[in-house]
Amino acid sequence: MNPAEPVLHRTGEGPAVLLLHPLGVDRSFWDGVLPAFDGFEVLTYDFPGHGRTPAPAEPYTIEDLADQARSLLVGAGHDRVDVVGVSLGGLVAQRMAADAPELVRRLVVVDAVAVYPQALRDMWQDRAARAPVEGLEPFLEPTLSLWFTAERVAEDGPVVDAVRRAFLAGDPHGYALACRALEQVDLTGVLDRITAPTLVVCGEDDAPPFTAAARDLGERLSDARVVWLSPARHAGVLEQPAQFRDALLGFLGEDRAEVSR
């Protein structure tokens, strides 16, 4: 992968937290959560082919994205950060924690698997083939139905509308490349290398592969706990922001509180 280097955005002061967004949107996914990070330096950027980061010409892997994230952090002078990732971002976060345990202080994996079941691999393969030809509109409604409860979709409030606009503004080629990376990823062989304290977060109403993955990660990772957001589906970060912020800030603040005693 040799895309244009993403721009790492930095806001606030304090311990560094890297926030990694899901497929099909960009770093603005985190806008509603950012006000909670008082006392932290928050780091965000757009994955290749998302937001303002151009898509590379060639396919890439989750390992490539993890390497890119590490390069951005090191280039910005960070040698120890908390990493929070949702779905696609959660896969990248897991790979970072496995490959660079010295860099990842605490890990937060939100609505993410370590490997997709075959049915979802087939879905990613189909979307990767169709998106450059048909654009992103055919995948909008399935995405909203996965991300939000039926009640929230029916309300069609500002949060759902923001996701809709961000998704449709995306790059079909960039989306396709990300789908190919999701189709191929399998982190099951590296989970035992993750030693960072880990918070696994999942919407209680998320699709079965994700709720099963949350339970599995909670059992397989050496120092992990699982928190459920409810009612919430795949985008519980957006659907239940207060629940997410409480769980997240409580987890990230634990050893900071111990140090200050």
Side-chain angles (χ1 to χ4, degrees), residues 111-145:
D111 294 283
V113 301
V115 60
Y116 286 100
Q118 189 60 49
L120 287 183
R121 286 178 176 243
D122 292 344
M123 182 193 75
W124 295 131
Q125 183 180 53
D126 176 69
R127 291 190 182 188
R130 291 171 57 196
V133 178
E134 301 177 30
L136 297 179
E137 190 164 356
F139 313 116
L140 173 63
E141 292 309 316
T143 297
L144 294 180
S145 296

Side-chain angles (χ1 to χ4, degrees), residues 25-39:
V25 288
D26 56 28
R27 70 185 191 89
S28 67
F29 176 86
W30 297 104
D31 286 354
V33 181
L34 291 180
F37 282 95
D38 185 36

Side-chain angles (χ1 to χ4, degrees), residues 9-210:
H9 298 263
R10 309 163 70 164
T11 60
E13 296 182 356
V17 182
L18 176 65
L19 305 181
L20 301 172
H21 66 77
L23 171 71
V25 288
D26 56 28
R27 70 185 191 89
S28 67
F29 176 86
W30 297 104
D31 286 354
V33 181
L34 291 180
F37 282 95
D38 185 36
F40 289 87
E41 180 184 19
V42 179
L43 312 172
T44 60
Y45 68 95
D46 295 330
F47 282 133
H50 293 70
R52 295 185 178 276
T53 303
E58 301 297 326
Y60 59 81
T61 65
I62 295 299
E63 289 74 19
D64 292 328
L65 293 183
D67 288 343
Q68 182 181 69
R70 288 160 56 195
S71 176
L72 287 172
L73 291 172
V74 172
H78 290 286
D79 57 11
R80 191 76 168 155
V81 301
D82 299 321
V83 181
V84 182
V86 176
S87 201
L88 166 61
L91 282 158
V92 177
Q94 290 175 70
R95 189 76 213 198
M96 289 177 66
D99 291 347
E102 74 288 349
L103 178 64
V104 180
R105 186 186 77 105
R106 283 184 175 251
L107 173 66
V108 182
V109 179
V110 187
D111 294 283
V113 301
V115 60
Y116 286 100
Q118 189 60 49
L120 287 183
R121 286 178 176 243
D122 292 344
M123 182 193 75
W124 295 131
Q125 183 180 53
D126 176 69
R127 291 190 182 188
R130 291 171 57 196
V133 178
E134 301 177 30
L136 297 179
E137 190 164 356
F139 313 116
L140 173 63
E141 292 309 316
T143 297
L144 294 180
S145 296
L146 172 67
W147 279 31
F148 299 104
T149 58
E151 293 78 11
R152 187 59 67 93
V153 173
E155 290 170 2
D156 199 22
V159 171
V160 173
D161 185 57
V163 169
R164 177 185 293 108
R165 286 186 283 104
F167 188 86
L168 292 177
D171 174 5
H173 175 62
Y175 184 85
L177 290 177
C179 288
R180 293 197 183 281
L182 293 177
E183 176 198 350
Q184 298 166 7
V185 67
D186 185 350
L187 302 184
T188 53
V190 302
L191 292 180
D192 60 353
R193 288 161 38 191
I194 297 176
T195 57
T198 302
L199 180 68
V200 180
V201 181
C202 191
E204 203 167 68
D205 309 299
D206 203 350
F210 298 102

